[in-house]
Amino acid sequence: MGIFTFLPDGKTPKQTYSIALSVALILHLGLGAALLFNADSTPKPVAMPKNNMPVIDAVVVDQSKLQKQVEKLEQQKAAAKAREDKRIKELERRAADAQKKRQQEADRIKRLEQERKRKEVEKRKADDAAKKSKAKADAEEKNRRKKEQERKQAEKAAADAKAKRQKEEAAAKKAEEARKQREAEDRRRKKEAAERAEQERLLEQQMMEEMSARQQARNQQVLTEVQKYVALITQTIQRNFIMDENTMKGKSCDLKVKLAPSGFVISVTPIKGDQIVCQEAVKAVNKAGTLPVSQDPDVFKQMSEINLKYTPEF
């Protein structure tokens, strides 16, 4: 028989459970006392009703059973209290951890803010120093330009007209010679550049032709190796293939097989063909598990994912 309780306003589950347990204990003790009192009295004969209904005999409550029930209630109360204490301790631990994390986050934010302010101060100092340095450099440049202008003006004023004419003639003659020399140098450079370009073109053409010939030979070699291993794979499928001439003769199946470098079959998928042949071909490949593959990287590159057309031979 269960005990149904409700939570009064302002009562916690722990308080409500304690109240309910106390009430239940009092009721059980009262019931036990009443039964014991009745057990001491002399039973009175009960008259049988006229309609011959059966008489229900009263059962005497066993004191030891009542004591066990009381002890059981006490144990349940203690267990409930232990669980509640454990839950409260867990909540307190979580609250402490949360408070600790909040404090750590606050300390981290405070440090970041201090670091930001420090960098701002350093930046302002650096900007001020840069401005002062630029102002000093500008002043020095202005002074240098002024002195340079004054020097040029003094040299120009001191120049003699005759010396100026002679210098101009000498400069013109020198300039003409330099011009002719530059033209000759330009023609020589252009000729050498054209010869180098032609040589490079011929060399590149020769290299491309040689590379093309080598690539064609290599491609043919790879193709031959691929065909050889395709034949070996077909033989492996044939060995594991269960044939039925009545249903498979003249039929075929196209398979797509993905292989690992070791030859391990990663997947096998029928593309098209007879359904029965395709089913048995897939079984044959999976039964083999590992198919023959080349150790040559170029050859395996062509075989890592291959399409096979398998036709049973009878």
Side-chain angles (χ1 to χ4, degrees), residues 227-282:
Q227 291 173 346
K228 181 182 77 173
Y229 280 97
V230 167
L232 292 175
I233 291 173
T234 303
Q235 292 176 2
T236 302
I237 297 174
Q238 183 75 18
R239 287 195 300 269
N240 293 282
F241 190 87
I242 299 176
M243 295 184 292
D244 184 0
E245 185 173 0
N246 293 330
T247 59
M248 300 179 182
K249 187 174 182 180
K251 299 178 181 180
S252 63
C253 178
D254 291 353
L255 298 174
K256 182 178 183 180
V257 182
K258 291 184 180 180
L259 299 173
S262 63
F264 177 76
V265 177
I266 298 174
S267 66
V268 53
T269 307
I271 301 174
K272 63 178 181 178
D274 181 72
Q275 183 178 2
I276 297 176
V277 175
C278 287
Q279 289 177 352
E280 292 302 326
V282 170

Side-chain angles (χ1 to χ4, degrees), residues 1 3 15 20 24 26-27 38 59-60 69 83 111 125 135-136 139 149 171 175 196 239 241-242 261 310 313:
M1 178 177 182
I3 298 174
Q15 294 171 335
I26 293 171
L27 290 175
N38 292 333
V59 179
V60 179
Q69 183 66 19
R83 288 194 298 270
R111 290 195 299 272
K125 290 181 180 179
K136 182 178 179 181
Q149 186 178 5
R196 285 197 302 271
R239 287 195 300 269
F241 190 87
I242 299 176
Y310 179 74
E313 297 179 357

Side-chain angles (χ1 to χ4, degrees), residues 63-78:
Q63 182 65 26
S64 63
K65 290 183 179 180
L66 180 61
Q67 182 62 32
K68 290 181 180 179
Q69 183 66 19
V70 172
E71 291 175 357
K72 182 178 180 181
L73 291 174
E74 289 293 337
Q75 291 174 357
Q76 291 176 351
K77 179 179 178 182

Side-chain angles (χ1 to χ4, degrees), residues 212-224:
S212 178
R214 290 181 179 178
Q215 187 62 40
Q216 289 179 0
R218 178 58 177 165
N219 290 341
Q220 183 60 39
Q221 180 184 2
V222 170
L223 181 60
T224 302

